[in-house]
Amino acid sequence: MVGGGDFLRVELDLPLADTGPSRLLGWIAAALVLLAVLAFAVAATASAGARRAALQPRLLTVLLPVTDGTAPSDAEVDRVVAALNAEPGVAFARPVSPVELGLAPRRPATVEPSAGPSAGPISPMPRFIDLAVNPGDALELEALNIRLAALSPGARAVASEGAESAAAPFDPATLRALAGAGGVAALVALALVIAAITRVSLALHHDTVDLLRQLGASDAYLARQLEHHALASSLRGGLLGFLAAVLSVLLSGGAAQDAALAISLTPLDWLLLGVVPVAAALLGACAAGLAARIRLWRLP
Amino acid sequence: MVELPWSSVLNRVNTTQQAIPGGRVLLVDDGITIAQLERIGMRYGAGAEVLHEIDLTLAAGSFRFLLGPAGAGKTSLLRLLRLGHPPSQGCLRLFGRDTARLGRDDRARLRRRIGVVFQDLRLLDHLSAYDNVALRLRIAGLADEAIAAEVAPLLGWLGLGEALEQRPPELAPAQRQLVAVARAVIGGPALLLADEPLAGLDPAQARRVMRLLLSLHRRGTTVLLATRDHGLPQCYPLAVIGLHGGQLTAFWAPRLARSA
């Protein structure tokens, strides 16, 4: 039990474990550590997604349009492909055949008997070139388009944005920032709650605090009592919250329909997330100690 | 009995060391002033003064009864001496230090040298009898082994050997009183302030507690025992300070009383 068990129980001069606000401390820590761990797990997943995206080549499409009713010739296409492959930062450039695009020109059956099987396409078709840019390299699209137009009138490169947006429903960097901020906010909230509970506890146990001071207890001695209590309670609660978060992540992995929406973590991520309840407990102890010292300082 | 200005008489202290269960030897040179009150006044909040113009010196190793009826100001005077309330006027020096100029840590350090039997006992209900007594030593920073070596024998000597693990609500009133006395004397404080320490005790227990306090006194602890029992000073030939209406009224020293 977070509130009443003996795990990590410390013997204190102040009866902190017997009062309502202090008993709640463990449960509050469990809830906030659960939120923090889940937020950091989402941030870690988003961060991994952003890293994967950064490592993949950026895809562009170069369009060679029909000009004056004439389709670009194969020689023209080859010239553009060769020029693109010579561009710095280009991983590869290759022509896309009309068949790949499903645009193979066909003559209507009603025309073929009179035109004959050797007749050319009814209408000229534009040509396309796949262009992959190395990860981390950037292409100046406008400058490239000027060079392309010199090789083939009207030729221009366009980003394949449709494919990118289909792959990732959220911007990984934004998601990482939001989730990380959420995790930090949960930990800050825990520190604030512990500070408030410490103040309430000191007020509730005013007589005991006064007695201990009469027996010679310094502010530091009393503050240490509250620190120990906050540390033990938030560590108990934090470990419970961490276990709940692990279960949630595992269950979400199984239930997610879309792989892009599932939280996926590496062993290192899990290790770092395991630090969260410990960090929360230390943060809670610091908050309790500081709040206690400030409160005690105001006593005569 | 001869009424004399209190400050003109000082007991001579016998610092003979005697075995006291669980106690530590504390020797204080005779003649050193433990507490000095000069024209002290005290009031709670905006209320009327409960102590007026108190001039009092407690020499090291002295034993004084503070005698007065209920409401005379005995508890307030002890509260002042244990640094539980500041004087509204006058100067209070403890162990040679002006208490008005003490920092927080110095104040805590001085309090550690003072043992207090509170009139309302003020035991902590969530701690066992053993832990209540051990509290002063724990605050003083003693190790668990050293604490155990002092607490258990003292409680055993007071007849509480079977009640070490019992909490105050489970103890009889007299046992609670004994625990409060034990907490005050453990470790041999330099100054012991006892507010009605014999209240609720049967005669045998009261004699035992007095024996304990006298033994502590013989080791050099300065004792101020507040009581409204006029019979008590008659049983023990020790100096008496009279207090009435918040003012010192008399000082009786047994040696001088005999000569009178």
Side-chain angles (χ1 to χ4, degrees), chain A residues 40-171:
Chain A
F40 288 135
V42 169
T45 303
S47 186
R51 276 196 307 274
R52 276 196 302 275
L55 288 174
Q56 287 181 354
R58 195 152 58 96
L59 292 177
L60 302 166
T61 301
V62 176
L63 168 68
L64 307 183
V66 175
T67 49
D68 299 331
T70 309
S73 66
D74 287 344
E76 196 176 335
V77 171
D78 289 344
R79 253 197 336 273
V80 172
V81 167
L84 287 173
N85 278 321
E87 285 280 337
V90 169
F92 63 84
R94 68 173 187 84
V96 181
S97 70
V99 175
E100 279 181 89
L101 293 170
L103 295 175
R106 293 188 182 279
R107 289 162 296 174
T110 51
V111 175
E112 192 173 336
S114 57
S118 60
I122 296 300
S123 56
M125 301 294 293
R127 302 294 297 270
F128 297 92
I129 298 169
D130 275 347
L131 174 64
V133 180
N134 286 324
D137 283 326
L139 275 182
E140 280 292 334
L141 267 188
E142 288 194 14
L144 178 67
N145 284 340
I146 291 170
R147 290 195 292 277
L148 290 174
L151 295 169
S152 172
R156 66 184 189 277
V158 291
S160 309
E161 290 180 1
E164 285 177 10
S165 61
F170 310 104
D171 173 34

Side-chain angles (χ1 to χ4, degrees), chain A residues 172-270:
Chain A
T174 306
L175 185 59
R176 179 181 54 190
L178 286 176
V184 170
L187 293 180
V188 169
L190 177 62
L192 292 176
V193 167
I194 287 176
I197 286 178
T198 298
R199 289 169 58 85
V200 171
S201 296
L202 280 172
L204 285 173
H205 298 297
H206 177 267
D207 287 347
T208 307
V209 169
D210 183 55
L211 172 67
L212 293 173
R213 294 176 79 217
Q214 285 299 322
L215 297 179
S218 62
D219 289 353
Y221 179 91
L222 292 166
R224 273 199 301 276
Q225 299 253 320
L226 291 142
E227 284 169 353
H228 287 164
H229 176 68
L231 182 70
S233 296
S234 49
L235 191 55
R236 277 199 307 272
L239 289 174
L240 187 72
F242 178 70
L243 289 177
V246 170
L247 278 177
S248 304
V249 169
L250 294 177
L251 290 175
S252 78
Q257 302 286 323
D258 186 347
L261 295 175
I263 297 174
S264 61
L265 298 168
T266 65
L268 179 64
D269 290 334
W270 281 116

Side-chain angles (χ1 to χ4, degrees), chain B residues 20 54 70 74 76 84-85 98 108 111 115 128-129 172-173 177 187 189-190 194 211:
Chain B
I20 175 173
I54 301 280
K74 302 186 299 292
S76 294
H85 199 281
D98 183 351
R111 282 170 173 156
S128 66
Q177 184 79 28
R211 197 175 144 200

Side-chain angles (χ1 to χ4, degrees), chain A residues 11-15 18 206-208 210-219 221 296-300, chain B residues 82-84 104-105 108-109 111-112 114 116 118 121-124 126-127 131 135-136 138-139 183:
Chain A
E11 190 70 30
L12 297 172
D13 301 335
L14 289 168
D18 299 337
H206 177 267
D207 287 347
T208 307
D210 183 55
L211 172 67
L212 293 173
R213 294 176 79 217
Q214 285 299 322
L215 297 179
S218 62
D219 289 353
Y221 179 91
L296 289 167
W297 185 257
R298 290 177 181 165
L299 295 178
Chain B
R82 63 177 163 85
L83 300 175
R104 297 179 72 82
D105 287 341
R109 230 171 272 130
R111 282 170 173 156
R112 271 176 238 149
I114 303 172
V116 183
F118 296 93
L121 306 186
R122 299 187 68 179
L123 299 176
L124 297 181
H126 69 288
L127 296 181
D131 284 328
L135 209 49
R136 279 193 61 223
R138 209 157 46 222
I139 288 170
R183 185 181 63 190

Side-chain angles (χ1 to χ4, degrees), chain B residues 11-199:
Chain B
N11 275 356
R12 301 301 296 177
V13 179
N14 174 9
T15 56
T16 306
Q17 296 176 24
Q18 279 194 339
I20 175 173
R24 284 187 298 170
V25 172
L26 174 73
L27 289 176
V28 182
D29 290 338
D30 188 14
I32 294 175
T33 299
I34 292 287
Q36 188 169 20
L37 292 78
E38 293 173 5
R39 303 179 67 81
I40 285 288
M42 179 181 162
R43 68 175 80 238
Y44 294 105
E49 275 200 329
V50 292
L51 295 175
H52 323 279
E53 299 284 324
I54 301 280
D55 284 311
L56 177 65
T57 299
L58 292 176
S62 58
F63 193 126
R64 302 276 188 272
F65 286 113
L66 181 61
L67 186 64
K74 302 186 299 292
T75 299
S76 294
L77 183 56
L78 295 190
R79 190 170 183 179
L80 194 82
L81 285 167
R82 63 177 163 85
L83 300 175
H85 199 281
S88 54
Q89 65 175 46
C91 175
L92 169 62
R93 297 178 72 85
L94 275 180
F95 303 103
R97 309 274 309 268
D98 183 351
T99 57
R101 296 180 180 179
L102 288 175
R104 297 179 72 82
D105 287 341
D106 287 338
R107 191 171 289 265
R109 230 171 272 130
L110 282 197
R111 282 170 173 156
R112 271 176 238 149
R113 301 177 69 185
I114 303 172
V116 183
V117 181
F118 296 93
Q119 189 175 27
D120 55 355
L121 306 186
R122 299 187 68 179
L123 299 176
L124 297 181
D125 286 350
H126 69 288
L127 296 181
S128 66
Y130 177 95
D131 284 328
N132 266 287
V133 177
L135 209 49
R136 279 193 61 223
L137 300 181
R138 209 157 46 222
I139 288 170
L142 264 66
D144 287 345
E145 296 76 22
I147 291 173
E150 296 211 22
V151 175
L154 176 60
L155 285 174
W157 190 81
L158 284 169
L160 294 170
E162 303 296 317
L164 295 183
E165 295 307 316
Q166 285 184 282
R167 296 181 180 195
E170 300 158 359
L171 296 171
Q175 288 178 310
R176 286 201 288 271
Q177 184 79 28
L178 291 173
V179 171
V181 170
R183 185 181 63 190
V185 304
I186 194 77
L191 173 62
L192 177 67
L193 304 171
D195 199 350
E196 304 283 4
L198 310 182

